[in-house]
Amino acid sequence: AQSVTQLDSQVPVFEEAPVELRCNYSSSVSVYLFWYVQYPNQGLQLLLKYLSGSTLVKGINGFEAEFNKSQTSFHLRKPSVHISDTAEYFCAVSDRYNNDMRFGAGTRLTVKP
Amino acid sequence: DAGVIQSPRHEVTEMGQEVTLRCKPISGHNSLFWYRQTMMRGLELLIYFNNNVPIDDSGMPEDRFSAKMPNASFSTLKIQPSEPRDSAVYFCASRYGTAYQETQYFGPGTRLLVL
């Protein structure tokens, strides 16, 4: 079965600084990878997803992620964060043997002024 | 276009009472998922349906939990009897089609507190 590990439970960063949220996955077959964001007291929203093709995926709000098959990683990056990016970020994986999605434990990003 | 609708948004009940959470998926979506989110356990998949049929309920914690999807536009998650450890935020999500690469769209959640 596939699984996801988010290596950092909390990431504090100053406004306008770059940020990287790390995600590693395990699966024995080809995977599809997703990043979701959860703002306080809201449901999850899709930031971006990787299905195939270019390994660099661009999403909403200036975020991007790079799929690295050899390192089984899908790290999320933003070159300059805003206060409004403060939220919890979830990495998720699905594959053709499991018709559902497995979520990581989440990374809480806190952007400080 | 309305997103996934969940009701109630907040529920406070006493231990032993029956709790029913409701979800209306996005029109035209074929798959529906119920998740539970807690600080201790994170986001857990409880059960999901494809075309109104339960496919995987291995995440349902115990027999006190049950879920139904009588038609394509409505699903319920019931807890009977409720216990304090059931306190959590319960999310419903829907997906167009049944393919694993499709995006899941989440509702705002129901915050349940069992006293």
Side-chain angles (χ1 to χ4, degrees):
Chain A
Q2 78 275 48
S3 66
V4 176
T5 302
Q6 291 185 244
L7 298 165
D8 307 298
S9 59
Q10 297 189 52
V11 173
V13 64
F14 286 104
E15 193 174 17
E16 297 183 5
V19 71
E20 178 180 83
L21 306 184
R22 296 180 293 168
C23 171
N24 286 87
Y25 68 91
S26 66
S27 176
S28 58
V29 297
S30 296
V31 297
Y32 299 93
L33 295 154
F34 304 77
W35 275 99
Y36 280 82
V37 60
Q38 183 181 27
Y39 298 105
N41 299 314
Q42 295 186 28
L44 280 70
Q45 304 172 35
L46 181 71
L47 266 182
L48 49 80
K49 64 182 178 182
Y50 171 78
L51 301 182
S52 64
S54 173
T55 57
L56 183 63
V57 181
K58 294 189 182 296
I60 62 172
N61 300 340
F63 284 93
E64 63 181 32
E66 186 154 20
F67 171 61
N68 189 318
K69 187 175 181 179
S70 62
Q71 296 187 8
T72 60
S73 68
F74 191 54
H75 301 332
L76 181 70
R77 302 185 183 99
K78 185 169 181 176
S80 176
V81 294
H82 303 291
I83 298 286
S84 59
D85 293 323
T86 294
E88 184 128 20
Y89 292 79
F90 292 91
C91 183
V93 63
S94 65
D95 65 42
R96 68 171 184 269
Y97 291 126
N98 296 280
N99 206 11
D100 58 12
M101 190 179 294
R102 302 292 166 170
F103 286 85
T107 297
R108 184 171 298 277
L109 174 65
T110 302
V111 181
K112 300 179 286 186
Chain B
D1 192 14
V4 176
I5 299 172
Q6 291 187 248
S7 64
R9 292 293 309 277
H10 302 273
E11 178 81 26
V12 180
T13 190
E14 293 185 346
M15 182 173 62
Q17 296 297 306
E18 177 179 295
V19 174
T20 299
L21 311 181
R22 297 172 177 79
C23 175
K24 177 178 171 53
I26 293 172
S27 177
H29 281 197
N30 304 98
S31 298
L32 184 140
F33 303 78
W34 281 102
Y35 292 90
R36 178 173 67 177
Q37 185 178 39
T38 61
M39 289 291 292
M40 292 297 295
R41 301 173 68 90
L43 193 63
E44 304 172 276
L45 176 66
L46 300 177
I47 184 171
Y48 79 92
F49 298 81
N50 281 349
N51 297 315
N52 312 338
V53 177
I55 301 300
D56 182 359
D57 64 354
S58 60
M60 296 286 262
E62 46 198 277
D63 292 346
R64 298 185 296 106
F65 286 70
S66 62
K68 294 181 179 179
M69 192 164 185
N71 57 62
S73 58
F74 184 65
S75 177
T76 59
L77 178 68
K78 186 175 293 186
I79 309 172
Q80 167 63 20
S82 59
E83 296 182 4
R85 59 193 168 121
D86 301 331
S87 298
V89 181
Y90 291 81
F91 289 103
C92 175
S94 71
R95 179 180 70 186
Y96 175 74
T98 58
Y100 44 90
Q101 66 267 43
E102 294 291 341
T103 301
Q104 292 186 24
Y105 294 85
F106 283 74
T110 295
R111 190 172 297 272
L112 173 66
L113 177 61
V114 183
L115 301 173

